[in-house]
Amino acid sequence: MAARSMRHLALVHGVNLDMLGRRPREHYGTLTLAELEERVARYGRDRGFAVGTFQTNHEGVMVEHLHHLAGSDIDALIVNPGAWTHYSYAVRDALELIAAPIAEVHLSAIDEREEWRRRSVIADLATVRVAGKGLEGYFEAVDELAREVAAGRAPRRPEPNDD
Ligand code: DQA
């Protein structure tokens, strides 16, 4: 596929995900982040997405990167914010600025682990949510986002006062 007809997909990871490969494998598998990014980029490329990757352990850097993405021409976003998922209203508010469909992906089954992991403060912004499927979950998110983009559907956004 010619480069100019590619859609742009941002793949964004948050805190501690640079430690993949060294974190408990029963939850996070054995791939390093670089390997995971490479596999998702290849999968995305085969489905018409140019995939840009980013990871940080710093909340403010994450927020600024999301601001940057909000002002860019991305067509879709996959985000795994790590532990920020469960409490970072700053990351949540920054995600709200993104005008493209968002997939929230977790390697582990957050709903089947500790109580505090069951809450996601970004869930209502996500068009697609996948957890507990490891790398396959990212592939599923790419497929779902490809469908959303092809259909030209508006990204999911909360109703005002829908708390
Ligand atoms: C995670 C789940 C989070 O609860 C955890 O803090 C992570 C990774 C996952 O991919 O399963 O760092 O987002």
Side-chain angles (χ1 to χ4, degrees), residues 15 23 28 80 82-83 86 106-108 110 117:
V15 63
R23 299 185 70 185
Y28 304 117
N80 179 349
H86 313 298
H106 302 281
L107 290 157
S108 68
I110 51 173
R117 287 188 207 272

PDB file of all heavy atoms in Angstrom, residues 15 23 28 80 82-83 86 106-108 110 117, ligand 1:
ATOM      1  N   VAL A  15       2.987   4.328  32.288  1.00  0.00           N
ATOM      2  CA  VAL A  15       3.943   4.054  33.354  1.00  0.00           C
ATOM      3  C   VAL A  15       4.200   2.546  33.539  1.00  0.00           C
ATOM      4  O   VAL A  15       3.271   1.735  33.546  1.00  0.00           O
ATOM      5  CB  VAL A  15       3.440   4.736  34.650  1.00  0.00           C
ATOM      6  CG1 VAL A  15       2.097   4.159  35.112  1.00  0.00           C
ATOM      7  CG2 VAL A  15       4.454   4.704  35.750  1.00  0.00           C
ATOM      8  N   ARG A  23       8.306  -7.891  34.016  1.00  0.00           N
ATOM      9  CA  ARG A  23       7.159  -7.848  34.935  1.00  0.00           C
ATOM     10  C   ARG A  23       6.542  -9.250  35.006  1.00  0.00           C
ATOM     11  O   ARG A  23       6.834 -10.105  34.166  1.00  0.00           O
ATOM     12  CB  ARG A  23       6.144  -6.799  34.459  1.00  0.00           C
ATOM     13  CG  ARG A  23       6.756  -5.393  34.435  1.00  0.00           C
ATOM     14  CD  ARG A  23       5.731  -4.339  34.082  1.00  0.00           C
ATOM     15  NE  ARG A  23       4.756  -4.150  35.146  1.00  0.00           N
ATOM     16  CZ  ARG A  23       3.697  -3.344  35.038  1.00  0.00           C
ATOM     17  NH1 ARG A  23       3.470  -2.685  33.908  1.00  0.00           N
ATOM     18  NH2 ARG A  23       2.866  -3.205  36.049  1.00  0.00           N
ATOM     19  N   TYR A  28       1.552 -10.307  32.250  1.00  0.00           N
ATOM     20  CA  TYR A  28       2.006  -9.441  31.151  1.00  0.00           C
ATOM     21  C   TYR A  28       2.765 -10.166  30.050  1.00  0.00           C
ATOM     22  O   TYR A  28       3.159  -9.528  29.069  1.00  0.00           O
ATOM     23  CB  TYR A  28       2.877  -8.318  31.735  1.00  0.00           C
ATOM     24  CG  TYR A  28       2.172  -7.518  32.810  1.00  0.00           C
ATOM     25  CD1 TYR A  28       2.648  -7.491  34.122  1.00  0.00           C
ATOM     26  CD2 TYR A  28       1.005  -6.811  32.520  1.00  0.00           C
ATOM     27  CE1 TYR A  28       1.992  -6.777  35.117  1.00  0.00           C
ATOM     28  CE2 TYR A  28       0.339  -6.104  33.508  1.00  0.00           C
ATOM     29  CZ  TYR A  28       0.837  -6.090  34.802  1.00  0.00           C
ATOM     30  OH  TYR A  28       0.169  -5.374  35.771  1.00  0.00           O
ATOM     31  N   ASN A  80      -2.472   2.144  26.363  1.00  0.00           N
ATOM     32  CA  ASN A  80      -2.428   1.349  27.583  1.00  0.00           C
ATOM     33  C   ASN A  80      -1.718   2.232  28.610  1.00  0.00           C
ATOM     34  O   ASN A  80      -0.491   2.316  28.625  1.00  0.00           O
ATOM     35  CB  ASN A  80      -1.664   0.046  27.367  1.00  0.00           C
ATOM     36  CG  ASN A  80      -1.591  -0.784  28.637  1.00  0.00           C
ATOM     37  OD1 ASN A  80      -1.930  -0.291  29.722  1.00  0.00           O
ATOM     38  ND2 ASN A  80      -1.136  -2.021  28.534  1.00  0.00           N
ATOM     39  N   GLY A  82      -1.230   1.870  31.695  1.00  0.00           N
ATOM     40  CA  GLY A  82      -0.693   1.235  32.899  1.00  0.00           C
ATOM     41  C   GLY A  82      -1.518   1.665  34.102  1.00  0.00           C
ATOM     42  O   GLY A  82      -2.732   1.861  34.003  1.00  0.00           O
ATOM     43  N   ALA A  83      -0.873   1.835  35.247  1.00  0.00           N
ATOM     44  CA  ALA A  83      -1.609   2.156  36.481  1.00  0.00           C
ATOM     45  C   ALA A  83      -2.347   3.491  36.406  1.00  0.00           C
ATOM     46  O   ALA A  83      -3.327   3.698  37.134  1.00  0.00           O
ATOM     47  CB  ALA A  83      -0.640   2.149  37.667  1.00  0.00           C
ATOM     48  N   HIS A  86      -6.222   3.780  36.333  1.00  0.00           N
ATOM     49  CA  HIS A  86      -7.118   3.629  37.478  1.00  0.00           C
ATOM     50  C   HIS A  86      -7.334   4.915  38.270  1.00  0.00           C
ATOM     51  O   HIS A  86      -8.251   4.976  39.079  1.00  0.00           O
ATOM     52  CB  HIS A  86      -6.576   2.524  38.397  1.00  0.00           C
ATOM     53  CG  HIS A  86      -6.179   1.293  37.641  1.00  0.00           C
ATOM     54  ND1 HIS A  86      -7.093   0.562  36.906  1.00  0.00           N
ATOM     55  CD2 HIS A  86      -4.972   0.683  37.455  1.00  0.00           C
ATOM     56  CE1 HIS A  86      -6.455  -0.460  36.312  1.00  0.00           C
ATOM     57  NE2 HIS A  86      -5.176  -0.399  36.630  1.00  0.00           N
ATOM     58  N   HIS A 106      -5.378  -3.450  27.732  1.00  0.00           N
ATOM     59  CA  HIS A 106      -4.569  -3.945  28.852  1.00  0.00           C
ATOM     60  C   HIS A 106      -4.159  -5.374  28.556  1.00  0.00           C
ATOM     61  O   HIS A 106      -4.986  -6.180  28.104  1.00  0.00           O
ATOM     62  CB  HIS A 106      -5.371  -3.900  30.156  1.00  0.00           C
ATOM     63  CG  HIS A 106      -5.858  -2.517  30.469  1.00  0.00           C
ATOM     64  ND1 HIS A 106      -5.040  -1.562  31.014  1.00  0.00           N
ATOM     65  CD2 HIS A 106      -7.043  -1.923  30.229  1.00  0.00           C
ATOM     66  CE1 HIS A 106      -5.718  -0.433  31.124  1.00  0.00           C
ATOM     67  NE2 HIS A 106      -6.933  -0.619  30.659  1.00  0.00           N
ATOM     68  N   LEU A 107      -2.908  -5.663  28.835  1.00  0.00           N
ATOM     69  CA  LEU A 107      -2.421  -7.023  28.636  1.00  0.00           C
ATOM     70  C   LEU A 107      -3.133  -7.988  29.574  1.00  0.00           C
ATOM     71  O   LEU A 107      -3.498  -9.103  29.197  1.00  0.00           O
ATOM     72  CB  LEU A 107      -0.913  -7.063  28.893  1.00  0.00           C
ATOM     73  CG  LEU A 107      -0.058  -6.349  27.840  1.00  0.00           C
ATOM     74  CD1 LEU A 107       1.291  -5.960  28.435  1.00  0.00           C
ATOM     75  CD2 LEU A 107       0.124  -7.224  26.612  1.00  0.00           C
ATOM     76  N   SER A 108      -3.306  -7.551  30.821  1.00  0.00           N
ATOM     77  CA  SER A 108      -3.876  -8.434  31.842  1.00  0.00           C
ATOM     78  C   SER A 108      -5.380  -8.204  31.974  1.00  0.00           C
ATOM     79  O   SER A 108      -5.919  -7.198  31.495  1.00  0.00           O
ATOM     80  CB  SER A 108      -3.179  -8.182  33.185  1.00  0.00           C
ATOM     81  OG  SER A 108      -3.511  -6.897  33.670  1.00  0.00           O
ATOM     82  N   ILE A 110      -7.818  -6.887  33.860  1.00  0.00           N
ATOM     83  CA  ILE A 110      -7.924  -5.961  35.001  1.00  0.00           C
ATOM     84  C   ILE A 110      -9.183  -6.183  35.832  1.00  0.00           C
ATOM     85  O   ILE A 110      -9.187  -5.879  37.013  1.00  0.00           O
ATOM     86  CB  ILE A 110      -7.808  -4.466  34.561  1.00  0.00           C
ATOM     87  CG1 ILE A 110      -8.772  -4.139  33.423  1.00  0.00           C
ATOM     88  CG2 ILE A 110      -6.379  -4.121  34.190  1.00  0.00           C
ATOM     89  CD1 ILE A 110      -8.819  -2.645  33.074  1.00  0.00           C
ATOM     90  N   ARG A 117      -7.932  -2.288  40.479  1.00  0.00           N
ATOM     91  CA  ARG A 117      -7.661  -2.285  39.034  1.00  0.00           C
ATOM     92  C   ARG A 117      -8.947  -2.316  38.213  1.00  0.00           C
ATOM     93  O   ARG A 117      -8.921  -2.161  36.998  1.00  0.00           O
ATOM     94  CB  ARG A 117      -6.817  -3.493  38.636  1.00  0.00           C
ATOM     95  CG  ARG A 117      -5.396  -3.413  39.067  1.00  0.00           C
ATOM     96  CD  ARG A 117      -4.594  -4.545  38.458  1.00  0.00           C
ATOM     97  NE  ARG A 117      -3.462  -4.856  39.297  1.00  0.00           N
ATOM     98  CZ  ARG A 117      -2.267  -4.258  39.201  1.00  0.00           C
ATOM     99  NH1 ARG A 117      -2.042  -3.343  38.295  1.00  0.00           N
ATOM    100  NH2 ARG A 117      -1.285  -4.583  40.029  1.00  0.00           N
TER     101      ARG A 117
HETATM  102  C1  DQA B   1      -1.979  -2.867  32.707  1.00  0.00           C
HETATM  103  C2  DQA B   1      -2.854  -3.135  33.930  1.00  0.00           C
HETATM  104  C3  DQA B   1      -2.622  -2.096  34.997  1.00  0.00           C
HETATM  105  O1  DQA B   1      -3.432  -2.360  36.135  1.00  0.00           O
HETATM  106  C4  DQA B   1      -1.175  -2.110  35.435  1.00  0.00           C
HETATM  107  O2  DQA B   1      -0.957  -1.099  36.405  1.00  0.00           O
HETATM  108  C5  DQA B   1      -0.221  -2.021  34.325  1.00  0.00           C
HETATM  109  C6  DQA B   1      -0.525  -2.714  33.072  1.00  0.00           C
HETATM  110  C7  DQA B   1      -2.079  -4.039  31.699  1.00  0.00           C
HETATM  111  O3  DQA B   1      -1.633  -3.850  30.556  1.00  0.00           O
HETATM  112  O4  DQA B   1      -2.569  -5.104  32.049  1.00  0.00           O
HETATM  113  O5  DQA B   1       0.857  -1.442  34.451  1.00  0.00           O
HETATM  114  O6  DQA B   1      -2.447  -1.696  32.076  1.00  0.00           O
END
